[in-house]
Amino acid sequence: MRLTCVLGDITEQRVDAVVNAANSSLLGGGGVDGAIHRKGGPEILAACRDLRNGHLGGGLPTGEAVATTAGELPATWVIHTVGPVWSATQDRTELLRSCYRNSLSVADRLSAANVAFPLISAGVYRWPVDDAVEQAVTTLRRCDTAVEEVRLVLFQADTFELARKRIETA
């Protein structure tokens, strides 16, 4: 698997699957989640509502992943995963790592060749950016997957530079 990073907007990535840093309700929110729902259109929300009316009636648990249509996005699927909220008193690192592993597992089931990830939990969930980059790169490098390309899509230039340097040394 080739791991790359780009500076840009995840909703504009032409890939098989885009990973959404969702909240457990799957019904949209702020940050990456809100952007994906807005740009992807009502098909994504309808698919998420179907999941909530079915086996995910209680919401998507932290660290798990599930796929829906990508609606109007230039991707085929959206893989929704719920990252952990950072805590100074509890180590939730394994939950963050499971977001990446479980998203790639879903991508494998979909036979996705290329997947775009945001930096999970580093926004409103307050995970320290340097550690979020470390967890993403380390976990993605260790995953056994048939996905050919994983692309970290970063919105801020300083985060992009941090990720680029980390990927080069991994």
Side-chain angles (χ1 to χ4, degrees), residues 20-69:
N20 180 20
N23 63 53
S24 63
S25 77
L26 295 177
L27 302 179
V32 170
D33 191 20
I36 285 174
H37 275 270
R38 279 189 305 278
K39 197 142 185 192
E43 289 178 58
I44 296 173
L45 182 58
C48 287
R49 282 193 173 129
D50 287 345
L51 290 169
R52 288 298 306 271
N53 290 331
H55 72 286
L56 291 176
L60 184 63
T62 302
E64 296 298 317
V66 65
T68 66
T69 179

Side-chain angles (χ1 to χ4, degrees), residues 2 4-6 9-20 36 68-79 104 107 110-118 147-153:
R2 186 174 77 243
T4 63
C5 66
V6 297
D9 181 344
I10 198 162
T11 67
E12 296 176 358
Q13 300 302 303
R14 295 192 179 283
V15 291
D16 294 329
V18 168
V19 175
N20 180 20
I36 285 174
T68 66
T69 179
E72 300 297 319
L73 295 175
T76 305
W77 301 284
V78 173
I79 299 171
L104 282 179
L110 297 169
S111 298
N114 43 44
V115 179
F117 277 88
V147 173
E148 296 169 17
E149 179 198 8
V150 170
R151 187 181 308 167
L152 275 175
V153 182

